[in-house]
Amino acid sequence: MFKIIESQMVVPNMHLLVVEAPAVARQMNPGQFVILRSEEDGERIPLSVSDWDAKAGTVTVVFLNVGHSTSTLASLESGMNIPSVVGPLGNPTEIDKFGTVLCLGGCYGIGSLYPIARALKEKGNKIVTVIEARSSFLFYWEDRLREVSDQLFHITRDGTKGSRGHVSRLPEIIKAWGQSVDRMIINGCTFLLKRGSDVSRSMGIKTVVSLNPIMIDGTGMCGVCRVTVAEATKFACVDGPDFDGHEVDWAELLQRRKQYVAEESVSFRTSRCEEHARRP
Amino acid sequence: MPKQAPEVRRRNFDEVALGYLAETAVQEAKRCLGCKKPKCVLGCPVEIDIPGFIQSIAQRDFVAGVRILKEKNCLPAVCGRVCPQEEQCEEICVLVKKGGQIAIGRLERFLADWEAGQGEPEMPQISAPTGRKVAVIGGGPAGLTVAGDLIKLGHHVTIFEALHKMGGVLVYGIPEFRLPKAIVQREIDYLKKMGVELVTDFVVGKTRTVDSLLEEYHAIFVGSGAGLPWFMNIPGENLNGVYSANEYLTRMNLMKGFQFPQFPTPIKDHSRVAVIGGGNVAMDCARTALRLGAEARIIYRRSRQELPARLEEIENAEEEGVIFDFLTLPIRYMGDENGWVRKIECLRMKLGEPDASGRRRPVPIEGSEFILPMDAVICAIGNSPNPLIAATTPGLEVGKRGNIVADEETGRTSKERVWAGGDVVTGAATVIQAMGAGRKAARSIHEYLSGL
Ligand SMILES: Cc1cc2nc3c(=O)[nH]c(=O)nc-3n(C[C@H](O)[C@H](O)[C@H](O)COP(=O)(O)OP(=O)(O)OC[C@H]3O[C@@H](n4cnc5c(N)ncnc54)[C@H](O)[C@@H]3O)c2cc1C
Ligand SMILES: Cc1cc2nc3c(=O)[nH]c(=O)nc-3n(C[C@H](O)[C@H](O)[C@H](O)COP(=O)(O)OP(=O)(O)OC[C@H]3O[C@@H](n4cnc5c(N)ncnc54)[C@H](O)[C@@H]3O)c2cc1C
Ligand code: SF4
Ligand code: SF4
Ligand code: FES
């Protein structure tokens, strides 16, 4: 059993959970994920790790409440126990001295980007962080991100903070900033990953995305997480979750993620992630 | 053996074979000749004293029979059900040609089930603690056997399992109607009672590496089983509705998808399901799909004679109404505008010259393409070994196919203090072979620990 230390809603429909899992916390690196189960016989829920404390033995996740399992998870209170926390799974994000790194995050990716930006900063990179949301009230952890970034930009679809619009505003932002970008890292929903990669391709910036296909075991057993990258089949849980955003077969991934939508009551969705795809 | 009638069982997940009543078991046991040099024992990978336990049944001393069984086999209720007995112990019983071989597996199952009906199992003798610690990686049949053997010898044993339940393929692969999960759980509870420490949700290589475990444990056994499923690399394989057998069966068994929405892991409602392959795994998938109300068919590139699945399971599948397309090879999957598989294009095959395996090789018949409408495909053509341990353990020799290299007699690997066995060494095999490998490794580990 794993004890919940903290449970709170950080912005509407986005929850933060701090859970005690010392063995997992000890081995954690930026870009890795865990699989949680909120109840006995519950679904296995893969979640990127937004922070951890090896000394206290805790792991922090931020997640969007999209369906049955995530809402069960969101309803848990501190002091309660959950039956599973498995990890750290997947490969860590490549951390090296690249020069200037643009970290782009949206949705839960605003949280999971934080330890990546922090590690890259510690390595001596210049960090420019861009976070995007539907509206300004959906931003969180801005202070933390500011701490590890040389510059923090916002994009909101309604223009309530920073640039108005979508990730397609990225080239302007980079231009305004006036420095060249050596690498881009994107965390968040699949639509953001795809749109961000489209934009960076046109600018010739190497781009690493953290994929989130449907998973079950997360250990390379079931094959449901397969994605096509550079025309080869890869298993995101053991080969990823990070891949080159310019090599991912996005159409296939978006399709595969929709497999169980009809079965799941996709309730109270506030992110409207799919709008990235519809509106250029 | 009495079974549920096909038209009843094809609509439920209850066990198909109902088991012997005591009277039938005693009658069957009395046919055994109690051979002095019993051939049957040579066919059993864990060398059970077969005439011994059968004599006990004949004399109605079931307690003694159970004791004999458990001396060599810690999972008799499982093996009695899923062992391919017809190719092992029963195949070489001297009575094969004279009145028919003894139904050894069924008798084994009878005893194990009889014991379960008696309440608390009898605990074995456990030696005084030796102070030696062993870590077992993977809670499948190989790992469970190693743990059972070593705990009796007084060693401290911890099993680390990546999933949230112990049992390996026994819980996530083989369906309820062939191996009720309560039976596996009973065997695991028994190990726990003997003092084996069970740690679930722990991925060795990730949560902790083998090298880190070696600092705390005197010896390690790796029984991490099969992993990454193979696909055929034909167009359309990543369409929605194309599953690997592991995904399909895991959703159904481990996550109890067949009880959706009582349990939250969903499984799609399919009406026409094609299973590619001809082994036990393929039979299990087809029979599961059938029970969920689909029309289920097996697509196999050779003919019925070459099907690698157990005969009993093939017959069960046929009786239940699984359709077989022999000498058929899928070459392409076609989807609808939403990316769901809708059709399979296949080729008819004919049998040519024998290949390296001695089986006649299937060759395509030119121009024989045809299309089958389908709304789900399950790919059951095999797996590579689980990749995580090999990838994170320096000094561990790995073969061409990703399998861990281990000595056949002792299970020793190229790495000091590390043993391995089961599917991760041999590739997909059988429960009893994995147990046999576990037994040998346990013996070798014990020898090593005794010399410390
Ligand atoms: C490596 C990885 C990291 C992730 N990190 C985060 C994170 O940090 N925060 C966050 O909010 N979400 C994250 N996700 C997505 C998250 O796992 C799903 O949103 C969640 O499992 C949905 O569960 P549900 O039952 O509440 O929703 P459901 O109602 O089951 O499904 C809603 C939608 O979520 C997707 N989904 C469903 N099950 C899974 C699954 N097992 N794996 C992936 N996607 C699924 C499908 O597109 C589905 O249509 C991550 C996914 C992966 C694979
Ligand atoms: C559907 C199906 C039907 C079958 N039917 C039959 C049959 O009728 N008769 C028969 O004899 N055989 C059958 N088999 C084959 C048989 O089940 C296997 O040969 C046997 O289970 C192998 O045992 P194992 O202990 O080596 O591995 P497994 O049973 O695969 O167990 C390995 C365990 O290790 C865990 N693991 C993996 N990696 C790690 C890690 N890094 N850290 C911690 N844990 C890890 C896995 O989660 C798993 O629980 C069938 C197999 C399948 C899939
Ligand atoms: S374990 Fe399997 S091979 Fe051995 S006697 Fe029992 S059924 Fe036969
Ligand atoms: S070979 Fe057959 S008859 Fe002889 S002991 Fe074994 S089961 Fe009995
Ligand atoms: S989640 Fe099962 S193989 Fe990746």
Side-chain angles (χ1 to χ4, degrees), chain B residues 232-260:
Chain B
M232 292 171 64
N233 294 320
I234 58 176
E237 240 168 358
N238 290 348
L239 285 167
N240 291 349
V242 182
Y243 305 93
S244 78
N246 275 1
E247 179 194 353
Y248 190 76
L249 292 171
T250 302
R251 277 186 187 278
M252 296 305 299
N253 297 319
L254 182 68
M255 308 308 292
K256 303 204 170 75
F258 69 91
Q259 296 178 51
F260 181 79

Side-chain angles (χ1 to χ4, degrees), chain B residues 31-35 38-41 50-51 54 92-95 102 104:
Chain B
R31 291 205 303 123
C32 170
L33 306 175
C35 307
K39 281 189 127 183
C40 52
V41 176
I50 297 171
I54 294 185
I92 48 178
C93 166
V94 292
L95 290 177
I102 300 293
I104 301 170

